[in-house]
Amino acid sequence: LAASSHPLSHAAGEWKADLAQRLGAAGLRLDWRFETDREIVLSVVQWSALTRILRELVSNAIAHADAARVAVELRLDGDALTLAVADDGKGGDPQAWSHGLGLGGVRKRVRTLGGQVQWLAAPGGGIRCVVRLPLTGGEPTA
């Protein structure tokens, strides 16, 4: 947390290692996909919010989904970052959920970054959460 900025590729590596450890300890498999058309530097605010968003979404899959696998996709394309977290669990209708502090925190962090979040019932079961963030505050690196 002491660093004032974080290259996206480094952050992605940290996130992957953290999520793989947490999911592995819970007996779930991580499918990880990271795509980028360039390197950018995340501000500490962006990095911190994305870290907390990822941790909350994975915590929900561990605690509530009854899943065997969690897929995380992180894609930087142009000036937008898309983060998708999907599980193969029991699913349900996201509109019928009681949105507590965890999901409320995800919404608040996404809103703080100027983005959008959507929860969807995944085809074949499970839940897919898609976060889209503009990266106007992210700085390109040389």
Side-chain angles (χ1 to χ4, degrees), residues 24-86:
L28 283 75
R29 187 178 86 226
L30 171 65
D31 291 343
W32 177 267
R33 186 173 180 176
F34 174 57
E35 297 177 19
T36 182
D37 59 355
R38 70 188 185 291
E39 181 68 271
I40 63 163
V41 176
L42 300 172
S43 70
V44 70
V45 171
Q46 292 168 323
W47 174 85
S48 177
L50 286 164
T51 298
R52 287 180 169 90
I53 289 165
L54 269 167
R55 288 185 63 87
E56 179 61 30
L57 294 175
V58 168
S59 291
N60 284 342
I62 291 169
H64 305 295
D66 195 23
R69 179 184 64 84
V70 174
V72 176
E73 300 172 37
L74 185 62
R75 186 176 68 245
L76 174 66
D77 187 19
D79 292 330
L81 181 70
T82 301
L83 167 66
V85 178

